[in-house]
Amino acid sequence: MLSVKELRGLATRFSPKQFREQMGPFVLVQQPPQLASGTPSTQSMGLPSNVHRTTVAKPEKVSAGALGLLFQFDELVVASVPPLHGVDQLTVGRQPDSDLVLDDPSVSKTHALLRWDEANQRCSIQDLGSTNGTFLNASVRLRRETTLKDGDILSFGEVQYWFLLTATLHEKLKKEAARGFGV
């Protein structure tokens, strides 16, 4: 994962097209896991959390996590996802073979699916029957495949991500660098 501070330097050196080539069509921005949960990792009795059952998510943690994304920008990190081409999809879950592995007990082993459609420049999300659900903007529990909008907040159990198109992140980083933040 790269921090927002680290990416700011790339945004000042790269054109939007070069930045997208490096980052992909969209990014998932989150609080560093130790800030989000209060502990560095989700381990229990020496075993990775993906061995254990899914725990029930606490609504207050979901809401607080979503707000943290909006007000702690400099502290955030960008999750790396595999390159996407054409119509492509990413699995989200606790399983080690997921494209986006979320080592948190509130996330199901196979939690959700993100689909990117290059031709339409559109991303959608679908919950895969997860225990705690997938939420959009900390309020709407997804029941069917839903198209994402630039700036949406996604919650997988108690883990939140800010969905941003790469062009939006590039612009935001360049503006902040111009104002003298973290350069």
Side-chain angles (χ1 to χ4, degrees), residues 34-54:
Q34 67 274 14
L35 287 180
S37 67
T39 58
S41 177
T42 316
Q43 299 268 332
S44 178
M45 295 177 23
L47 297 173
S49 67
N50 61 17
V51 174
H52 301 286
R53 292 182 181 214
T54 305

Side-chain angles (χ1 to χ4, degrees), residues 157-173:
E158 293 177 354
V159 179
Q160 290 81 31
Y161 285 92
W162 191 7
F163 171 83
L164 291 174
L165 295 174
T166 307
T168 301
L169 178 62
H170 183 263
E171 182 180 319
K172 184 169 181 57
L173 292 171

Side-chain angles (χ1 to χ4, degrees), residues 9-97:
L10 287 177
T12 58
R13 290 191 303 274
F14 289 173
S15 70
K17 182 181 180 200
Q18 292 169 317
F19 192 74
R20 183 184 170 154
E21 287 170 359
Q22 293 295 313
M23 301 301 299
F26 66 87
V27 294
L28 297 172
V29 183
Q30 73 171 135
Q31 292 181 349
Q34 67 274 14
L35 287 180
S37 67
T39 58
S41 177
T42 316
Q43 299 268 332
S44 178
M45 295 177 23
L47 297 173
S49 67
N50 61 17
V51 174
H52 301 286
R53 292 182 181 214
T54 305
T55 61
V56 176
K58 296 177 179 108
E60 63 275 7
K61 283 188 95 173
V62 174
S63 296
L67 286 173
L69 289 175
L70 300 174
F71 295 109
Q72 299 172 337
F73 187 67
D74 244 20
E75 306 305 318
L76 303 179
V77 294
V78 177
S80 56
V81 295
L84 301 170
H85 307 285
V87 175
D88 212 343
Q89 58 188 29
L90 302 170
T91 56
V92 178
R94 268 192 353 251
Q95 291 285 68
D97 63 345

